[in-house]
Amino acid sequence: MATDATAKFQNQDFHPVPKPPDYLPTPTVSPHDGLHFWQFMIAGSIAGMVEHMAMFPVDTVKTHMQALGSCPIKSVGLRQALRSILKSEGPAGLYRGIGAMGLGAGPAHAVYFSVYETSKKFFSGGNPNNPVAHAISGVFATVASDAVFTPMDMVKQRLQLGTSLHSPYKGVWDCVRKVFKEDGFRAFYASYRTTVVMNAPYTAVHFATYEAAKRALNEISPEHADDERLIVHATAGAAAGGLAAVVTTPLDVVKTQLQCQGICGCDRFKSGSITDVIQTIVRKDGYKGLLRGWAPRTLFHAPAAAICWSTYEASKTFFQDLNGSRNSGTIT
């Protein structure tokens, strides 16, 4: 009966109405990406390694600008800091400490992105465009990843400030051994609280801006969303990284001062409180001292975020294709 009724209402004169030429399908956003936890970790690790290795020379200049203001050498300008490094060490000086960065960046970013993706799925409540969920997830991610990265970041910055002739450390493990012997285990986490206080707002601004910018760029030309995927991720990442870097520069200066105290004549602080360090900086250099290194920090984080996000999303796409979970109509 059902078949006869269906046939009765079928009319050969009726044809599907063609879609107008300006019709554009509405892109759908996947609430999650169909990847396993370990795949997020590998994608994040690759992205972190590529990002930090590519931008390491800029990070070295930033470290010199932020730390040397308290040292006998007053290289607080971008050109002066770069010239000082090249004059004393040559181009190799821009890569001092890169071994410590390599040891820290991979594991830290594996934790960073895997925690972010897991938290985003949990907090989004089925709404992948929830900016609050993106910000909260970013904070969770940075608290976890900073616990992994902070010790090697401290080693990296101490190595960056030395030279082949005057450095107190012969390499990564020599630095680890001497710091542990002289200052104990707590020295490796002297800046952890400051790092979290800095990176929590940084990551909240970063992820919320990135997701919003990515969505806005995809809506501009949804019919080419797949073709322009790499450009979208890189552009959104650069905007997010640059904005977040400028906002959090004062806390980054505090973090560098804490991690490099006692090196190259830098001040030692009786307490590791953020307030104590800020007061010392303002007393010596005024409030402008809190913005020292903002230019190379922005020059670092804008392209670094573009590299990181495009690499991360490319790695995710690889795993999605491998899992057979990629949907051509879905934007991630």
Side-chain angles (χ1 to χ4, degrees):
M1 289 293 293
T3 304
D4 294 341
T6 302
K8 181 177 179 180
F9 287 98
Q10 287 180 343
N11 191 323
Q12 299 298 325
D13 295 332
F14 293 144
H15 301 284
V17 179
K19 294 180 177 66
D22 60 345
Y23 170 79
L24 296 175
T26 302
T28 58
V29 183
S30 171
H32 209 243
D33 301 311
L35 299 185
H36 301 292
F37 186 81
W38 65 269
Q39 292 174 324
F40 285 127
M41 293 190 73
I42 293 176
S45 181
I46 294 171
M49 293 284 285
V50 172
E51 168 199 353
H52 284 285
M53 295 302 178
M55 300 303 301
F56 193 81
V58 182
D59 181 66
T60 299
V61 173
K62 183 214 70 165
T63 298
H64 275 254
M65 289 180 67
Q66 292 180 338
L68 292 181
S70 299
C71 301
I73 307 171
K74 296 287 185 179
S75 297
V76 295
L78 179 59
R79 291 182 180 178
Q80 294 94 325
L82 179 59
R83 190 181 300 116
S84 175
I85 296 169
L86 294 176
K87 182 179 179 180
S88 62
E89 194 76 1
L94 296 171
Y95 291 91
R96 286 188 61 82
I98 196 168
M101 174 62 76
L103 290 171
H109 278 72
V111 172
Y112 186 78
F113 281 106
S114 57
V115 171
Y116 172 71
E117 295 287 359
T118 304
S119 301
K120 184 173 72 170
K121 182 181 180 181
F122 178 80
F123 288 113
S124 63
N127 176 18
N129 296 329
N130 185 345
V132 176
H134 299 154
I136 294 175
S137 300
V139 173
F140 273 79
T142 197
V143 171
S145 66
D146 284 343
V148 178
F149 188 61
T150 297
M152 278 301 155
D153 188 47
M154 182 275 296
V155 173
K156 182 259 307 180
Q157 289 199 316
R158 285 175 178 246
L159 291 173
Q160 283 177 319
L161 292 179
T163 66
S164 58
L165 297 177
H166 302 97
S167 176
Y169 311 113
K170 297 177 181 178
V172 174
W173 299 117
D174 183 57
C175 179
V176 171
R177 183 178 58 81
K178 288 183 177 178
V179 170
F180 182 78
K181 182 179 179 180
E182 294 171 5
D183 300 315
F185 181 77
R186 293 182 60 183
F188 293 96
Y189 284 93
S191 69
Y192 178 67
R193 180 173 53 185
T194 306
T195 301
V196 171
V197 171
M198 174 188 71
N199 282 344
Y202 172 88
T203 310
V205 173
H206 184 116
F207 278 110
T209 303
Y210 171 75
E211 297 284 359
K214 181 177 69 173
R215 187 168 63 252
L217 291 169
N218 278 323
E219 290 174 354
I220 293 175
S221 57
E223 74 279 13
H224 299 303
D226 280 343
D227 297 336
E228 299 172 355
R229 180 183 297 266
L230 184 62
I231 297 175
V232 167
H233 291 312
T235 304
L243 176 62
V246 172
V247 171
T248 57
T249 293
L251 286 169
D252 188 51
V253 175
V254 173
K255 183 204 75 170
T256 299
Q257 293 280 337
L258 283 171
Q259 292 189 159
C260 298
Q261 54 184 314
I263 302 299
C264 187
C266 292
D267 294 328
R268 278 192 176 274
F269 302 96
K270 294 181 180 179
S271 72
S273 71
I274 297 174
T275 303
D276 181 32
V277 180
I278 289 176
Q279 289 176 345
T280 301
I281 294 171
V282 172
R283 186 170 62 251
K284 285 193 169 187
D285 299 327
Y287 287 101
K288 70 178 185 298
L290 293 171
L291 293 176
R292 191 186 303 144
W294 73 268
R297 178 168 164 78
T298 305
L299 289 174
F300 174 90
H301 281 282
I307 293 169
C308 184
W309 278 111
S310 54
T311 304
Y312 176 64
E313 296 291 350
S315 300
K316 280 172 56 178
T317 299
F318 169 79
F319 284 121
Q320 287 169 342
D321 290 338
L322 192 66
N323 297 344
S325 61
R326 186 180 176 193
N327 184 339
S328 60
T330 300
I331 296 173
T332 58

